[in-house]
C-alpha cells in the first residue's frame, strides 16, 4: 500500500535446471578416493583427515564445521552436537568409529591442545570458512575430480549416498538439520539411476511376466550322428 506500482511485475521467475550444480556430488568410489588421497598427500594429515571425515560422514555445513568445539564431540556416544540456524538450534549428528578415530588422533597431536575450537587457524583461533573451501578445492583438483566440488557439495554427497543406500528421507532431513522435508527432497532426483536400476531389476510383475509371456526357447533335441 505504500507504492502504486509493483517493480517486480515484469521479472520472470528464475528457471531451475534440474541438472544444475546444486545436485553435483561425488560417487561413493570417488569419496573413498578423496579420503585416501587426503591421508596420503596432506601436509597436515591428522587435521585434514579428521576434517574431511567429519564433512563427508557428518554432512555438515561449513559454518557448522568451523563452529564445532572440542566439547561437542561425544566419543562415548559416537556423535557430535551441532549448532545450526539463527536460533542456535542444536542437532545430534552420528559419526562412525572411523571418523571419530580420525578426530581423536588429530586431537592428540594438534598444535593448540588447549584450544576450544575443534579446527583451528594458525594462531589457535576458529578456522575460517575460506580455509575449508580452499582445502576442498585443493585436494579435489589435485586428485583430478570435478573442480566444482565444494564443501557444500560434500554435504550433498553425504545425503545422496545415504538416500541411495535406502535411508528414509525423514531421517536424512533430521540428520542434515533441514526445517522442511521439501528441502531434503532436492536429493531424490539424484537417485533416478538407482530408481531405474531397482525397478528394472526387482519389479516382481516384470519377473513373473518374463517367464510367462516370453518363455525361454525350447532346445531342439540333438540329431544323433
Amino acid at each position: 500500500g505504500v507504492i502504486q506500482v509493483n517493480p517486480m511485475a515484469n521479472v520472470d521467475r528464475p528457471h531451475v535446471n534440474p541438472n544444475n550444480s546444486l545436485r553435483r556430488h561425488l560417487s561413493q568410489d570417488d569419496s573413498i578416493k578423496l579420503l585416501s588421497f587426503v591421508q596420503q598427500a596432506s601436509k597436515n594429515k591428522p587435521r585434514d583427515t579428521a576434517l574431511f571425515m567429519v564433512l563427508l560422514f557428518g554432512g555438515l555445513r561449513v559454518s557448522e564445521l568451523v563452529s564445532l568445539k572440542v566439547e561437542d564431540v561425544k566419543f562415548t556416544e559416537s556423535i557430535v552436537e551441532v549448532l545450526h540456524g539463527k536460533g542456535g538450534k542444536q542437532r545430534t549428528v552420528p559419526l562412525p568409529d572411523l571418523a571419530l578415530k580420525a578426530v581423536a588422533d588429530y586431537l592428540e597431536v594438534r598444535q593448540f591442545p588447549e584450544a576450544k575450537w575443534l579446527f583451528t587457524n594458525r594462531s589457535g583461533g576458529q578456522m575460517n570458512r575460506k580455509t575449508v573451501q580452499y582445502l576442498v578445492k585443493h585436494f579435489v583438483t589435485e586428485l583430478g575430480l570435478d573442480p566444482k566440488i565444494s564443501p557444500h557439495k560434500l554435504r550433498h554427497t553425504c545425503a545422496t549416498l545415504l538416500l541411495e543406500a535406502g535411508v528414509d528421507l525423514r531421517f536424512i532431513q533430521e540428520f542434515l538439520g533441514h526445517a522442511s522435508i521439501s528441502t531434503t527432497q532436492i536429493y531424490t532426483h539424484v537417485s533416478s539411476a538407482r530408481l531405474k536400476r531397482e525397478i528394472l531389476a526387482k519389479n516382481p510383475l516384470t519377473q513373473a511376466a518374463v517367464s510367462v509371456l516370453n518363455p525361454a526357447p525350447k532346445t531342439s533335441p540333438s540329431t544323433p550322428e
Side-chain angles (χ1 to χ4, degrees), residues 3-218:
I3 59 177
Q4 300 302 315
V5 179
N6 178 6
M8 303 298 291
N10 295 321
V11 178
D12 294 331
R13 291 183 61 186
H15 173 68
V16 179
N17 184 345
N19 298 315
N20 66 16
S21 60
L22 178 66
R23 279 83 171 184
R24 196 182 302 271
H25 69 286
L26 293 179
S27 66
Q28 177 176 305
D29 288 344
D30 283 344
S31 298
I32 299 301
K33 288 178 182 177
L34 177 60
L35 290 172
S36 178
F37 183 70
V38 170
Q39 285 186 322
Q40 297 172 12
S42 174
K43 296 179 180 179
N44 194 339
K45 174 182 172 180
R47 183 202 66 183
D48 292 344
T49 299
L51 187 148
F52 276 81
M53 288 276 191
V54 174
L55 273 179
L56 271 169
F57 287 109
L60 271 61
R61 302 176 178 91
V62 177
S63 58
E64 296 169 345
L65 180 79
V66 299
S67 297
L68 282 178
K69 298 176 182 177
V70 176
E71 64 184 24
D72 294 329
V73 185
K74 312 296 182 183
F75 290 98
T76 57
E77 301 173 51
S78 299
I79 62 170
V80 290
E81 294 179 341
V82 179
L83 287 177
H84 67 104
K86 295 180 180 179
K89 298 178 182 178
Q90 189 177 73
R91 76 177 188 277
T92 299
V93 175
L95 286 179
D97 292 341
L98 182 69
L100 290 168
K101 183 181 184 305
V103 173
D105 290 345
Y106 158 62
L107 288 175
E108 288 184 1
V109 299
R110 69 176 185 159
Q111 185 178 0
F112 302 97
E114 303 301 323
K116 68 176 183 178
W117 304 108
L118 180 58
F119 298 107
T120 61
N121 57 26
R122 294 181 179 178
S123 59
Q126 184 179 18
M127 179 180 283
N128 192 285
R129 297 184 192 184
K130 290 185 177 180
T131 302
V132 181
Q133 293 166 350
Y134 166 79
L135 288 171
V136 171
K137 185 174 182 61
H138 169 72
F139 286 112
V140 166
T141 303
E142 287 292 310
L143 187 55
L145 299 177
D146 187 341
K148 292 185 179 180
I149 292 296
S150 65
H152 204 68
K153 298 303 181 291
L154 297 186
R155 175 173 162 87
H156 289 313
T157 295
C158 177
T160 301
L161 294 180
L162 287 174
L163 186 66
E164 291 184 342
V167 177
D168 189 276
L169 199 64
R170 293 285 180 180
F171 292 153
I172 298 176
Q173 175 192 1
E174 187 73 18
F175 176 73
L176 295 178
H178 288 159
S180 171
I181 191 68
S182 61
T183 307
T184 317
Q185 285 173 333
I186 66 171
Y187 301 106
T188 57
H189 90 285
V190 182
S191 296
S192 59
R194 177 175 179 260
L195 172 65
K196 176 181 176 181
R197 185 170 65 250
E198 293 288 302
I199 293 298
L200 292 180
K202 298 182 179 180
N203 189 330
L205 180 61
T206 303
Q207 296 172 3
V210 166
S211 61
V212 174
L213 303 178
N214 188 26
K218 295 181 179 180

